Structures are given as C-alpha cells and as structure tokens.
C-alpha cells in the first residue's frame, strides 16, 4: 500500500485507515430507493425507481448528503446483483 500511495495516490493510506475505523450505515435497497425518491432539492441524471440499479450519483448522495459516512446497501433485487451477494459498499 505504501508503494501505491507513494507512486499513485498520496491519500490512499489515509482513506484506508478511515474505512477501517469508521462505522458503516446499513440500509436495504428498498430503503435506499425510498430515500432517493423523496429527494426534492436536486435532480438526478439517472432515474430512481425500485428494480433498477443505483447509479454512482445515487450512491454518492446517500454517503455524502444523507449518512455522511460509508453505506452498505443490501438486499438488491437478484436481477440486478445476482453474483455479488446483492450488497454494495458505497463511500464518500
């Protein structure tokens, strides 16, 4: 990791330490969609509705605006995340 930090990303170790020491929020896919559907102060480029994948902008909104920490979204519909355990970690 030190090599990667020195050669490519000076903040990599600090971010890794943050991940290792920060509590994560955990919400279901359904809860994530419900939160995002209620957003009125911003227009997302990608649609938000149950049954379609969350876009990066949605994940960033959840982590940066709503929870202000790492978020694990779980219980994705199997058609969206069939091979990754239907769980995804999003980070600020």
């Amino acid at each position: 990791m030190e090599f990667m930090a020195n050669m490519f990303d000076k903040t990599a170790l600090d971010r890794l330490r943050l991940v290792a020491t920060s509590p994560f929020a955990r919400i279901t896919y359904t809860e994530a969609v419900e939160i995002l559907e209620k957003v009125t102060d911003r227009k997302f480029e990608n649609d938000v509705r149950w049954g379609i994948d969350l876009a990066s902008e949605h994940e960033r909104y959840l982590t940066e605006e709503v929870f202000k920490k790492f978020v694990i979204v779980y219980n994705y519909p199997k058609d969206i995340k069939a091979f990754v355990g239907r769980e995804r970690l999003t980070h600020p």
Side-chain angles (χ1 to χ4, degrees):
M1 283 303 299
E2 287 181 16
F3 173 78
M4 295 297 288
N6 289 333
M7 297 300 292
F8 302 105
D9 184 352
K10 302 291 184 207
T11 65
L13 290 175
D14 290 335
R15 285 186 287 115
L16 185 58
R17 284 185 195 98
L18 178 65
V19 169
T21 60
S22 297
F24 291 28
R26 288 180 50 90
I27 59 172
T28 66
Y29 168 83
T30 299
E31 291 169 321
V33 170
E34 289 171 353
I35 291 168
L36 294 167
E37 286 177 333
K38 293 177 183 174
V39 173
T40 59
D41 63 338
R42 123 168 351 171
K43 174 75 172 127
F44 294 117
E45 291 181 23
N46 297 283
D47 287 342
V48 176
R49 78 175 174 273
W50 202 95
I52 61 174
D53 204 359
L54 300 178
S56 294
E57 66 178 326
H58 305 136
E59 295 169 349
R60 289 184 63 99
Y61 186 85
L62 291 169
T63 58
E64 295 173 5
E65 304 294 327
V66 177
F67 294 97
K68 300 191 183 340
K69 60 182 169 182
F70 294 94
V71 177
I72 296 173
V73 178
Y74 63 97
N75 282 352
Y76 274 81
K78 69 178 182 174
D79 293 339
I80 298 174
K81 300 287 181 226
F83 296 107
V84 293
R86 295 185 301 278
E87 188 168 298
R88 178 184 288 171
L89 168 67
T90 63
H91 55 86

